[in-house]
Amino acid sequence: MSDVLLVSLNAQGLNLPEKRSSLLRLLWKKRAQVAFIQETHFRSTSIPKLSDRHFPYVCHSTSPDAKVKGVLMLISSAISWDPIDSRTDGAGRYLFVKGKLADTLVTLASIYAPNTGQVCFLSKALRALEDFTEGTLILGGDFNLVLDPCIDSSKGQTSLPRSALSKLKDLLFSYQLVDAWHILYPSSRDYTFFSHPHNSYSRLDYFLMLD
């Protein structure tokens, strides 16, 4: 498990065949073994094919009404994967899968949080995830917020009110979830999103694990 390469990516829509092919090529080039993809924009009644010999396992959470939101998970043929169960929210905001990854029981959770009401969304998602989780938990995806403004934002700012940020930290603490990247690189700064209107960088994508 210590050598498994995880990737999180906001695709901003994958309905074009060229974008799906580009995604698979990129993941293969990066040697990704588990990919957490957000904003697929697939409608649940018409999900296009998104798998190949390098990424044979794919699981979706999609919106039933429109080509919006949507998350998926891809697992590489380069690693042993034996699926056991999966769960979605039915709205394209989260996907939980459970199985044996490299002979280790794991729960993989991919989320795409809204850009408002993130703390409320995470609270509900984590309650559902708690009932589903077995083995090692890895929660990843686009959280649409910064966990630590001093490190995760180039301007040291967050759009969350101070009270909401405090609730978020209490929420993650109550579930014993920690930012895996900052455990490995506690003083490093790196970002996953650039805002043109605000001319600022921020890290909105995370992998959280149990402390």
Side-chain angles (χ1 to χ4, degrees):
M1 279 294 297
S2 61
D3 296 326
V4 175
L5 180 58
L6 309 172
V7 171
S8 176
L9 179 68
N10 187 310
Q12 297 183 338
L14 287 172
N15 281 288
L16 292 176
E18 295 83 358
K19 288 195 71 173
R20 297 196 295 274
S21 297
S22 295
L23 172 66
L24 291 170
R25 286 196 301 270
L26 175 65
L27 295 176
W28 174 245
K29 182 179 179 181
K30 296 294 185 181
R31 298 293 186 264
Q33 292 170 308
V34 182
F36 297 68
I37 310 298
Q38 304 86 45
E39 281 205 81
T40 57
H41 294 178
F42 297 156
R43 186 183 284 117
S44 57
T45 55
S46 57
I47 299 175
K49 182 178 182 294
L50 184 58
S51 62
D52 64 8
R53 63 188 178 91
H54 299 303
F55 295 94
Y57 177 84
V58 58
C59 193
H60 296 268
S61 175
T62 57
S63 170
D65 303 318
K67 293 183 178 181
V68 295
K69 300 175 283 191
V71 296
L72 68 82
M73 200 172 298
L74 291 157
I75 298 181
S76 168
S77 59
I79 191 167
S80 171
W81 170 246
D82 182 14
I84 295 173
D85 196 6
S86 65
R87 180 180 298 176
T88 76
D89 65 335
R93 284 292 183 189
Y94 68 66
L95 165 66
F96 308 152
V97 300
K98 182 164 44 183
K100 290 285 190 70
L101 183 68
D103 296 323
T104 299
L105 179 61
V106 300
T107 298
L108 306 172
S110 179
I111 69 165
Y112 172 51
N115 54 21
T116 60
Q118 298 96 321
V119 178
C120 181
F121 165 79
L122 286 171
S123 179
K124 293 178 180 178
L126 289 174
R127 282 199 298 271
L129 182 57
E130 184 178 33
D131 294 336
F132 182 81
T133 297
E134 289 185 81
T136 300
L137 170 64
I138 301 173
L139 168 61
D142 184 346
F143 286 63
N144 255 319
L145 52 77
V146 295
L147 295 181
D148 187 340
C150 294
I151 299 176
D152 294 332
S153 169
S154 61
K155 292 189 174 181
Q157 299 174 345
T158 175
S159 59
L160 285 180
R162 184 175 298 181
S163 59
L165 186 60
S166 178
K167 288 180 181 177
L168 173 64
K169 291 180 177 180
D170 289 343
L171 178 66
L172 297 182
F173 179 80
S174 69
Y175 284 95
Q176 297 180 298
L177 290 168
V178 296
D179 178 0
W181 191 81
H182 268 154
I183 293 295
L184 296 173
Y185 309 101
S187 59
S188 297
R189 290 173 176 264
D190 207 351
Y191 308 111
T192 63
F193 176 74
F194 177 70
S195 170
H196 289 279
H198 299 97
N199 191 32
S200 65
Y201 292 90
S202 55
R203 189 159 73 99
L204 306 180
D205 298 76
Y206 296 88
F207 283 108
L208 306 182
M209 298 185 69
L210 287 172
D211 187 3

